[in-house]
């Protein structure tokens, strides 16, 4: 049997508590300085919230978008990147949330995406069991400093600055699977100031949500609290201050932000 790190920590905590009670002294543990806040997402129909562990995003998961980004999707295995969890901007249903135009970019792009939230995880999850790990879904935006992403890519440097910045992950509240089911097809779209820019169907994904979970779990152990941005359709493009973005996925409430 192998002891996981948290089991060892748990064992030590119990030992410490025993020692404290036996000696009659409160055993103060180490004080945590500068602890980051937990990032949470509201859950529709309950006052409970979903605590986020990691944000995974798949790249180039719709054929036409992959081609517009200069790839040949027929030869490409799925690839993933991450955003920091505090990049999340929670957007309420029915509100038009102010979304800050970020620093350093002159080509700030929208990417509307279905987001899956996990209630359990593991390694090497089989494709046909993968959806059992999904807690729920929401609509998200994978906001992108496209100029910086492309410049870094051209220099074979990490995408970080183009993808993983503050507020780069606006999303709506999570709907439980029991409320909305799973999303293997259905319309997905994004409009700017009332003009539709991105319009596709979830069934056009190259790698389904189930396949994404299976593939991700080969590379990383997945855990409850992980969320997965499942890729954007083609016709990504720039936004400017004042633009109002309206994101739609059939079966979920709309997500809307104003660029400020
Ligand atoms: Mn994306």
């Amino acid at each position: 049997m192998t002891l996981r790190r948290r089991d060892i920590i748990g064992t030590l905590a119990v030992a410490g508590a025993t020692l404290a009670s036996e000696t009659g002294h409160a055993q103060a543990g180490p004080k945590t300085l500068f602890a980051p806040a937990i990032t949470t997402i509201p859950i529709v129909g309950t006052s409970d919230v979903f605590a986020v562990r990691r944000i995974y995003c798949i790249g180039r998961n719709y054929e036409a978008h992959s081609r517009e980004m200069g790839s040949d999707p027929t030869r490409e295995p799925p690839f993933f990147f991450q955003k920091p969890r505090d990049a999340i901007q929670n957007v309420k249903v029915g509100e038009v949330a102010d979304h800050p135009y970020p620093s350093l970019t002159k080509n700030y792009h929208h990417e509307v995406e279905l987001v899956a939230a996990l209630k359990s995880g593991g390694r090497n999850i089989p494709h046909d069991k993968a959806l059992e790990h999904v807690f729920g879904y929401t609509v998200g935006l994978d906001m992108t400093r496209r100029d910086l992403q492309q410049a870094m890519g051209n220099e074979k440097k990490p995408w970080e600055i183009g993808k993983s910045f503050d507020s780069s992950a606006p999303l709506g509240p999570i709907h439980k699977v029991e409320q909305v089911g799973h999303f293997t097809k259905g319309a997905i779209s994004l409009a700017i100031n009332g003009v539709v820019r991105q319009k596709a169907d979830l069934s056009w994904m190259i790698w389904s949500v189930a396949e994404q979970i299976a593939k991700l779990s080969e590379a990383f152990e997945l855990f409850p609290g992980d969320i997965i941005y499942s890729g954007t359709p083609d016709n990504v493009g720039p936004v400017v201050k004042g633009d109002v973005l309206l994101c739609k996925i059939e079966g979920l409430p709309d997500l809307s932000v104003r660029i400020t």
Side-chain angles (χ1 to χ4, degrees):
M1 180 186 137
T2 56
L3 267 183
R4 288 164 175 269
R5 185 166 171 273
R6 60 171 174 260
D7 295 328
I8 295 167
I9 291 168
T11 305
L12 291 175
V14 170
T18 305
L19 181 66
S21 62
E22 283 173 357
T23 58
H25 295 291
Q27 184 92 356
K31 196 162 110 192
T32 304
L33 303 181
F34 317 123
I38 297 171
T39 300
T40 60
I41 306 171
I43 302 166
V44 172
T46 162
S47 57
D48 296 343
V49 292
F50 182 93
V52 180
R53 175 179 175 267
R54 287 188 181 172
I55 307 174
Y56 292 106
C57 309
I58 188 170
R60 296 171 198 159
N61 196 32
Y62 289 76
E63 185 174 336
H65 173 60
S66 183
R67 292 195 192 287
E68 79 181 349
M69 299 309 288
S71 296
D72 178 354
T74 59
R75 288 182 302 167
E76 192 173 57
F79 70 95
F80 300 91
F81 59 93
Q82 291 185 46
K83 291 175 185 269
R85 63 171 170 241
D86 62 357
I88 284 178
Q89 178 187 8
N90 282 305
V91 180
K92 297 188 182 84
V93 173
E95 91 171 315
V96 182
D98 285 348
H99 175 81
Y101 195 100
S103 61
L104 302 180
T105 182
K106 292 185 167 55
N107 194 19
Y108 191 39
H109 273 208
H110 57 78
E111 297 191 359
V112 62
E113 310 197 3
L114 174 70
V115 179
L118 302 191
K119 64 181 178 187
S120 52
R123 294 185 204 273
N124 299 314
I125 296 168
H127 163 220
D128 60 355
K129 301 277 188 206
L131 291 183
E132 295 173 11
H133 296 276
V134 178
F135 174 73
Y137 294 92
T138 190
V139 184
L141 279 162
D142 167 15
M143 296 304 291
T144 304
R145 292 156 154 165
R146 190 73 68 201
D147 43 359
L148 300 186
Q149 181 201 16
Q150 287 177 336
M152 296 301 272
N154 292 342
E155 296 177 25
K156 299 197 187 318
K157 290 175 179 169
W159 276 4
E160 213 81 2
I161 201 169
K163 283 290 193 182
S164 308
F165 50 93
D166 300 343
S167 302
S168 61
L171 44 65
I174 293 171
H175 287 69
K176 294 186 205 174
V177 169
E178 302 87 82
Q179 297 166 321
V180 293
H182 291 287
F183 291 80
T184 53
K185 59 180 170 36
I188 177 171
S189 68
L190 178 144
I192 303 179
N193 305 327
V195 179
V196 174
R197 299 294 176 92
Q198 294 187 269
K199 190 169 172 49
D201 195 280
L202 296 173
S203 63
W204 300 354
M205 285 184 193
I206 297 169
W207 303 91
S208 68
V209 170
E211 289 169 325
Q212 292 175 48
I213 292 167
K215 285 287 182 186
L216 262 175
S217 74
E218 294 173 5
F220 308 94
E221 182 173 1
L222 298 177
F223 285 90
D226 291 342
I227 68 170
I228 304 169
Y229 272 71
S230 62
T232 197
D234 65 316
N235 222 24
V236 298
V239 299
V240 296
K241 287 183 182 180
D243 282 349
V244 174
L245 280 57
L246 180 62
C247 307
K248 289 177 177 286
I249 290 178
E250 199 178 327
L252 290 170
D254 298 346
L255 169 75
S256 189
V257 299
R258 177 186 290 103
I259 310 298
T260 58

